[in-house]
Amino acid sequence: MTHIILDKIQKVYPGATDPAVDDFSLEIPSGQLIAFLGPSGCGKTTTLKMLAGLIQPTSGKIIFDGENIVSVPTEKRGAVMVFQNHLLFPYMSVGDNVGFGLKMRGVDKKIINAKVQEMLEFVKLPDIAKRRPAQLSGGQQQRVALARALITEPRLLLLDEPLSNLDAHLRDEMRDLIVTIQRNLQVTTVFVTHDQEEAVLLADKIALIFDGLLQSYTSPEEFYRFPISERAARFFGGVNFIPAQRKNSTIHTDIGEFSITAEGYEDAPSSEVTLTIRPEQIHLCEDKGVNTVKGQVIDRIYVGTYTRYKIMIGDHQVEAIRSADLSGVINIGDEIDVHLPSDRIWVVARQ
């Protein structure tokens, strides 16, 4: 396990006017699984490559267990990166691919063969050592690349978009495998993704990156419940945003007055704000007096386990999700009660 600190890392590419990564600082506890999340071009892969030693930072420190390793060559860092396109050697067998790192270290062939078999069993591919990469599916190639990285017992495992090239059912399998491996080996792991669901399902903590700047670094639940900004909320699937004015625990909007009791609301922005609440947290057909307003259903989409509704409340449209387990059918055109639970409302600075 390795404890990582990134201290004011900056990367400016030659000829560029703006940094690709700027003033980037965070701490990764030993054995944790961390996601770098953000849109394409935000600097997350650049940061991953700086951890690996494939790119040198323009300034700042990268600290492994108390040692600044910025000047340490890639091969001596103990950080191994699994790339999005696998980069397996096509002319080698799977077994030779997996054992390549140990071979370069001069490890005895018998030990290599035993470790290769152990790793292939670990990634649930015990019988493919003699095959070539071209004979494997995309999901199998990804597992082989993971086995090749793990066989060297890295101090830090780096994964670049590990699920992006896989079909839906293979993504689920690979996601479960990554979590299982990481929990069993307790290897400090950082992965890059632009998929918020993937980050939430895999990571202990998420580093949200926009325009080369670290926006927030906290648990998936905190991102989900208490977004730091409207942009962050939208990136995490938020669709309900209503201009508001906040005074203490009371939120004034064009559609009504709401109370807020969410944990930590005292530290939320005040004055001119935007009210946000996730669709699945809104209660329909429930008149609880406080925080309840009237609305009219303008659209509904039946998904199976739930139905998604679009509702006009005054001049504002909100979206809500209702479980299929709840009784009663809500139709387009129905006028209904819309309840916004006070502990699920959040406010962010108005953009």
Side-chain angles (χ1 to χ4, degrees):
M1 296 191 293
T2 307
H3 182 270
I4 310 291
I5 295 176
L6 294 174
D7 184 14
K8 298 186 181 302
I9 291 296
Q10 184 190 64
K11 178 60 183 177
V12 182
Y13 286 106
T17 55
D18 297 320
V21 175
D22 196 19
D23 196 28
F24 194 101
S25 298
L26 59 74
E27 183 174 354
I28 304 172
S30 295
Q32 286 209 341
L33 182 60
I34 304 300
F36 285 173
L37 174 68
S40 297
C42 71
K44 54 189 186 292
T45 298
T46 294
T47 306
L48 201 73
K49 288 181 176 179
M50 285 191 284
L51 278 167
L54 300 175
I55 294 176
Q56 281 292 103
T58 304
S59 61
K61 299 178 182 178
I62 300 174
I63 301 170
F64 284 17
D65 290 333
E67 177 190 2
N68 184 7
I69 53 85
V70 165
S71 59
V72 174
T74 302
E75 65 274 12
K76 295 184 178 181
R77 291 190 180 194
V80 178
M81 187 164 174
V82 179
F83 292 90
Q84 185 176 349
N85 55 358
H86 319 315
L87 297 181
L88 300 177
F89 299 115
Y91 53 87
M92 288 186 182
S93 69
V94 166
D96 288 342
N97 265 281
V98 174
F100 183 77
L102 296 185
K103 182 180 180 181
M104 291 297 99
R105 295 180 180 182
V107 176
D108 183 81
K109 188 174 181 180
K110 289 184 178 179
I111 295 176
I112 293 175
N113 290 340
K115 290 289 289 183
V116 165
Q117 189 58 36
E118 179 186 341
M119 283 296 105
L120 288 177
E121 289 176 359
F122 202 46
V123 297
K124 300 180 181 179
L125 295 173
D127 303 318
I128 67 165
K130 295 182 180 180
R131 296 188 195 177
R132 294 293 178 93
Q135 296 174 291
L136 306 181
S137 68
Q140 289 174 323
Q141 290 185 37
Q142 186 73 298
R143 289 176 184 235
V144 170
L146 191 56
R148 184 176 63 180
L150 292 171
I151 200 170
T152 61
E153 300 180 357
R155 299 173 67 188
L156 175 64
L157 178 62
L158 304 168
L159 307 174
D160 185 18
E161 300 273 9
L163 309 181
S164 62
N165 289 334
L166 304 180
D167 295 335
H169 72 285
L170 292 177
R171 280 200 300 271
D172 292 340
E173 290 181 7
M174 182 58 69
R175 183 170 60 230
D176 292 344
L177 180 64
I178 289 171
V179 171
T180 299
I181 288 173
Q182 199 276 333
R183 295 292 181 260
N184 287 342
L185 298 182
Q186 287 292 294
V187 58
T188 305
T189 303
V190 180
F191 72 98
V192 158
T193 182
H194 61 270
D195 186 326
Q196 58 88 14
E197 180 179 357
E198 183 179 310
V200 167
L201 289 172
L202 281 172
D204 295 310
K205 295 181 74 174
I206 298 171
L208 182 64
I209 307 169
F210 291 149
D211 305 320
L213 298 171
L214 180 64
Q215 305 295 311
S216 186
Y217 181 50
T218 188
S219 69
E221 182 180 0
E222 292 291 310
F223 271 105
Y224 183 82
R225 293 189 60 189
F226 312 120
I228 194 171
S229 66
E230 183 175 333
R231 187 179 180 186
R234 289 187 185 277
F235 199 80
F236 269 77
V239 292
N240 295 322
F241 300 96
I242 301 172
Q245 294 80 39
R246 175 191 165 198
K247 186 175 183 182
N248 299 320
S249 63
T250 302
I251 311 298
H252 302 273
T253 76
D254 291 344
I255 65 172
E257 188 174 281
F258 302 91
S259 65
I260 178 173
T261 61
E263 179 183 353
Y265 81 85
E266 299 92 343
D267 299 323
S270 56
S271 190
E272 301 293 315
V273 296
T274 296
L275 179 155
T276 183
I277 184 170
R278 298 186 67 88
E280 59 271 25
Q281 295 169 340
I282 294 175
H283 298 165
L284 301 180
C285 301
E286 294 186 21
D287 184 357
K288 298 187 178 181
V290 64
N291 283 23
T292 301
V293 293
K294 294 287 185 181
Q296 185 175 40
V297 178
I298 61 172
D299 194 17
R300 67 187 295 270
I301 301 174
Y302 177 70
V303 181
T305 56
Y306 65 88
T307 303
R308 193 175 191 99
Y309 296 93
K310 293 182 180 180
I311 304 159
M312 288 301 298
I313 306 173
D315 294 328
H316 295 279
Q317 177 181 297
V318 300
E319 292 191 23
I321 289 174
R322 192 167 189 256
S323 171
D325 294 336
L326 297 176
S327 61
V329 177
I330 303 174
N331 296 308
I332 295 175
D334 287 353
E335 191 170 283
I336 59 173
D337 293 310
V338 181
H339 177 67
L340 280 57
S342 61
D343 63 340
R344 299 298 178 181
I345 291 175
W346 192 243
V347 292
V348 295
R350 190 180 301 181
Q351 290 186 335

